[in-house]
Amino acid sequence: IGYTVYRNHQQQLYLKREKRIAEASAEYKSRFLADISHEIRTPMNVIIGLSKLMQDSPLNPSQSKFVQTIQKSSKNLLRIINDLLDHSKLEAGKFELVLQDFNMCELVNELRSNFQYKAEQKELGFELKCGADIPDLLVGDPVRLNQVLTNLVSNAFKFTETGTVEVKVQMKVEEANHALLHFEVADTGI
């Protein structure tokens, strides 16, 4: 019986040590993601700023299109970096939604500028429909909503070789201070 108690005690010590190692590893990973996200954000903002300055200078149509693509791609990359930072915040229990006024149809139309090049490149139709009954101003977290829609639309383009990708936003229920919207991303891919 003494040996069994000794083995149980050793097993408990081993499990406690492994738990500390796992917690330290998770903390290191979260800190690393947060640090690297912040470090990458600075040069990305420089690229976005310089491409904006370049866009405002005299360019031929081809150069202008290239600069627009740089801007869109940089903004998308910045969103991915922000997703990494959000992921580390989630793991640390520090993630919060940011509520602010925004226009839903403008947010949906931003998807057009972000994905029109991809649609043209793959020769796909790209349709965006925002319900006429959706209020001009809503309160919510447009950045998170944009992240979700961007991920869904990105996957739709990834798996669609012919046909169309369609995004629809419709009012489902509208009450005095609340609106319930229905989002649909449809494609003709697998």
Side-chain angles (χ1 to χ4, degrees):
I1 226 169
Y3 180 74
T4 302
V5 170
Y6 171 77
R7 290 296 295 155
N8 282 343
H9 179 69
Q10 292 295 78
Q11 183 67 18
Q12 286 177 353
L13 289 175
Y14 172 78
L15 291 174
K16 285 180 184 178
R17 185 177 45 232
E18 290 298 310
K19 181 181 177 200
R20 279 194 310 272
I21 291 170
E23 287 171 346
S25 176
E27 173 64 25
Y28 173 78
K29 184 180 105 182
S30 291
R31 197 169 48 242
F32 174 77
L33 282 174
D35 290 347
I36 203 74
S37 295
H38 284 294
E39 292 300 320
I40 294 173
R41 230 189 253 174
T42 301
M44 282 308 307
N45 283 320
V46 170
I47 292 169
I48 291 168
L50 288 175
S51 65
K52 176 67 178 134
L53 290 173
M54 188 181 291
Q55 182 71 36
D56 294 341
S57 67
L59 300 172
N60 68 42
S62 179
Q63 291 170 326
S64 182
K65 189 171 183 173
F66 293 152
V67 171
Q68 287 174 356
T69 303
I70 290 169
Q71 288 176 325
K72 290 174 194 172
S73 296
S74 297
K75 287 176 183 176
N76 286 336
L77 187 53
L78 188 58
R79 283 190 187 110
I80 292 168
I81 293 165
N82 289 333
D83 285 348
L84 283 172
L85 187 58
D86 290 344
H87 182 74
S88 65
K89 285 181 183 177
L90 273 172
E91 285 185 342
K94 297 178 182 175
F95 181 81
E96 293 179 15
L97 292 175
V98 177
L99 299 180
Q100 63 188 58
D101 294 346
F102 71 101
N103 183 299
M104 176 59 67
C105 292
E106 285 178 11
L107 186 141
V108 169
N109 283 324
E110 282 180 29
L111 293 172
R112 181 177 313 286
S113 62
N114 291 337
F115 288 97
Q116 190 62 43
Y117 178 75
K118 189 69 160 172
E120 290 171 7
Q121 188 180 39
K122 292 186 83 171
E123 298 179 353
L124 297 173
F126 185 35
E127 298 175 18
L128 298 163
K129 297 177 182 174
C130 190
D133 55 347
I134 295 175
D136 287 339
L137 277 181
L138 296 172
V139 176
D141 193 329
V143 173
R144 302 298 170 259
L145 181 55
N146 188 44
Q147 287 174 334
V148 171
L149 291 173
T150 296
N151 287 336
L152 293 171
V153 173
S154 179
N155 283 339
F157 274 106
K158 185 187 305 184
F159 296 110
T160 303
E161 295 304 319
T162 60
T164 62
V165 172
E166 182 179 37
V167 178
K168 283 194 234 175
V169 183
Q170 299 171 316
M171 178 66 71
K172 191 158 182 162
V173 177
E174 183 176 12
E175 296 174 356
N177 292 326
H178 292 33
L180 179 61
L181 303 178
H182 176 82
F183 295 87
E184 183 178 340
V185 177
D187 62 68
T188 54
I190 59 170

